[in-house]
Amino acid sequence: PSYQGSTAMSLELKFDPRTIEHLGVKMYSTLPPALAELISNSYDADSPGVVVEFTEINKTPKSIVIKDEGEGMSLDDIQNKFLVIGRNRRNDDGDKPSDKFSRLPTGKKGLGKLALFGLANEIVVDTIKDGLRNRFRLNWTELLSSNSIYNPKIELQDQPIDRPNRTQIQLSDLKRKSQFDLDSLADSLAKIFSSDPSFSIVLKKGEIVVPVDGNRR
């Protein structure tokens, strides 16, 4: 059962269906650019690293899970930052270095959640910030059929929890049908991200562990 805070809240994502179809699917239908958006979010969240886990059953892709130990998101962050399409973090927050690693925002255009829809039909975001956990679910089919305002399903709202800040995003009901090639993917991501000793990127599939680093260039 979900723990509800003092006031139950609903989340809202406003969009133009034609825009989200074009941006979400056309721009991010391949893994490297879509994952790069999500990894950039972890970097901007001041995480020491990110782990991307790929699951296959009978050689068929089933899920992708992105985990970081960044600053996490409050309910307000989710509504006013994560669910705002086209938000430019650099413009909104300025070029202020991050608290822990003194990183400058990557300046991505807030399209990370559309990157998710390029890969999957079902997305669950589970995040902890300042001792409060929030989890919500996005569904691509429901989003497209909801015209211009979509309400993600909140599964946990401000549940008190004694765990450090973090964010986990699970992608399932994947559009991809071919097996994941971690070495090829790591090569592509190494070209996108410059090496930063304060930030590690690791890809996993079963027992296979592939780090993404400057040695791949």
Side-chain angles (χ1 to χ4, degrees):
S2 302
Y3 172 90
Q4 295 294 329
S6 55
T7 306
M9 172 180 167
S10 64
L11 297 173
E12 187 174 275
L13 187 151
K14 298 180 182 179
F15 66 97
D16 178 327
R18 293 162 300 178
T19 300
I20 206 164
E21 178 79 57
H22 174 71
L23 293 174
V25 178
K26 305 297 189 298
M27 281 177 63
Y28 299 113
S29 57
T30 59
L31 270 175
L35 289 180
E37 279 281 343
L38 299 174
I39 292 169
S40 292
N41 287 347
S42 297
Y43 181 86
D44 285 348
D46 238 6
S47 178
V50 63
V51 176
V52 187
E53 296 182 355
F54 302 86
T55 301
E56 295 174 350
I57 297 178
N58 297 326
K59 299 184 178 180
T60 301
K62 289 298 177 187
S63 69
I64 302 172
V65 177
I66 299 96
K67 300 178 180 179
D68 73 44
E69 297 170 3
E71 61 191 9
M73 292 184 286
S74 65
L75 209 54
D76 183 69
D77 292 333
I78 292 166
Q79 178 59 71
N80 296 309
K81 296 179 181 179
F82 187 86
L83 292 178
V84 177
I85 294 172
R87 173 180 180 268
N88 187 316
R89 182 171 184 143
R90 183 178 290 165
N91 287 349
D92 288 0
D93 299 344
D95 269 338
K96 185 170 71 105
S98 62
D99 292 337
K100 187 187 278 185
F101 293 110
S102 297
R103 296 172 183 160
L104 294 176
T106 56
K108 295 285 186 180
K109 296 292 191 293
L111 299 174
K113 73 287 305 180
L114 299 185
L116 304 173
F117 288 131
L119 303 177
N121 289 307
E122 188 87 0
I123 293 118
V124 177
V125 180
D126 193 336
T127 185
I128 298 171
K129 183 173 185 177
D130 299 336
L132 294 176
R133 181 181 182 188
N134 286 282
R135 186 173 72 218
F136 62 98
R137 183 179 298 268
L138 300 149
N139 182 279
W140 175 243
T141 306
E142 291 174 4
L143 189 153
L144 283 184
S145 64
S146 63
N147 200 5
S148 61
I149 294 179
Y150 170 62
N151 300 106
K153 180 184 177 186
I154 298 177
E155 297 183 340
L156 294 172
Q157 178 179 317
D158 282 347
Q159 179 187 59
I161 188 168
D162 186 19
R163 292 181 63 183
N165 294 352
R166 50 143 226 170
T167 296
Q168 173 177 305
I169 298 177
Q170 176 175 310
L171 314 181
S172 56
D173 190 8
L174 301 179
K175 299 177 181 180
R176 179 189 181 90
K177 303 306 175 196
S178 56
Q179 285 183 266
F180 297 115
D181 181 346
L182 264 58
D183 279 313
S184 173
L185 182 55
D187 288 341
S188 297
L189 290 172
K191 293 184 177 73
I192 297 171
F193 290 96
S194 56
S195 186
D196 182 335
S198 75
F199 187 71
S200 64
I201 304 171
V202 176
L203 311 181
K204 292 184 177 181
K205 183 173 78 168
E207 299 298 312
I208 303 169
V209 178
V210 179
V212 177
D213 54 41
N215 296 332
R216 293 190 162 269
R217 292 206 189 98

